[in-house]
Each structure stands twice: as structure tokens, then as C-alpha cells.
């Protein structure tokens, strides 16, 4: 009977040791899984941020190209208008010089 009690106590201690080992291993596995999940989540966030940055750069580039496409015709129109105004001014230059000469001559004649 004493032998059975000793063996029963031994089996209980072994079972407790096994249970402790199982709990310890489960906790370690849970910590490892948590760490892996955290690292995976961080990697997903980094990847998403990188993709968002790339998309933003692409959108900015597209917006610049569209703005350039809109501005180029305006610049061409402005250049044409400048050339037209310069031509008009050049055509009227002799008349303006003549008026100035007349005013200077009249002004000097009165003095």
C-alpha cells in the first residue's frame, strides 16, 4: 500500500511537471506568435506606406504633367500676343516719334 502511495505521488509529480512544461511551452509559443504577428503587422504597415508613397508620387507626377499640358498652350498664346503687341508698337513707333518731336519743337519754340 505504501508502495502504491509512493508511486501515485511520483505519478502526480510527473504529471504536474508535464503540465508545467506544457503551460511554459504554450506561453513561449504564444509570445513567439505574438512577436511574429507584430512583425508581420509592421511589415504590412511599412509596405502599405511605401505603396502609398509611390502612388502619391505618381499622382503628383501626373498632376504636374496635366498642369504643364494646360499651361503650354497658354504660354504659346501669350507669346503670340506679345509678338502681336510688339509688332503694333513697332508699327506705331514712327508716329510716336513724330508726335514727340513735334511737342519738343513746339515747346522749344515757345521758350
Amino acid at each position: 500500500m505504501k508502495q502504491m502511495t509512493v508511486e501515485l505521488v511520483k505519478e502526480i509529480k510527473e504529471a504536474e511537471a508535464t503540465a508545467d512544461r506544457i503551460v511554459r511551452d504554450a506561453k513561449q509559443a504564444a509570445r513567439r506568435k505574438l512577436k511574429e504577428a507584430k512583425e508581420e503587422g509592421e511589415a504590412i504597415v511599412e509596405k502599405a506606406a511605401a505603396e502609398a508613397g509611390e502612388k502619391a508620387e505618381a499622382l503628383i507626377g501626373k498632376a504636374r504633367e496635366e498642369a504643364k499640358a494646360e499651361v503650354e498652350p497658354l504660354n504659346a498664346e501669350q507669346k503670340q500676343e506679345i509678338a502681336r503687341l510688339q509688332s503694333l508698337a513697332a508699327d506705331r513707333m514712327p508716329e510716336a516719334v513724330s508726335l514727340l518731336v513735334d511737342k519738343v519743337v513746339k515747346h522749344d519754340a515757345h521758350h
Side-chain angles (χ1 to χ4, degrees):
M1 179 90 162
K2 194 173 184 185
Q3 176 93 12
M4 275 180 118
T5 305
V6 170
E7 293 218 8
L8 188 58
V9 169
K10 184 179 176 186
E11 286 178 19
I12 291 171
K13 285 185 179 183
E14 287 176 3
E16 287 175 344
T18 300
D20 288 344
R21 189 175 53 253
I22 290 170
V23 168
R24 187 177 53 249
D25 290 349
K27 285 180 180 179
Q28 285 178 346
R31 282 192 294 270
R32 191 171 41 251
K33 292 280 186 189
L34 183 62
K35 181 182 176 189
E36 290 172 1
K38 182 179 177 185
E39 290 172 353
E40 186 177 324
E42 289 172 353
I44 290 169
V45 168
E46 287 177 19
K47 182 180 177 185
E51 289 174 357
E54 290 172 6
K55 287 180 183 178
E57 287 295 322
L59 288 173
I60 289 169
K62 184 178 177 184
R64 283 185 179 145
E65 289 299 317
E66 289 174 357
K68 184 178 177 183
E70 287 180 27
V71 169
E72 283 178 354
L74 296 176
N75 285 340
E77 289 173 15
Q78 290 172 343
K79 286 178 183 177
Q80 288 175 347
E81 181 65 10
I82 289 169
R84 186 184 71 77
L85 292 172
Q86 286 174 335
S87 175
L88 283 173
D91 291 347
R92 297 188 68 187
M93 186 62 76
E95 180 184 346
V97 169
S98 176
L99 285 172
L100 285 173
V101 168
D102 286 347
K103 284 190 179 209
V104 169
V105 170
K106 286 182 184 177
H107 183 348
D108 285 345
H110 291 338
H111 286 281

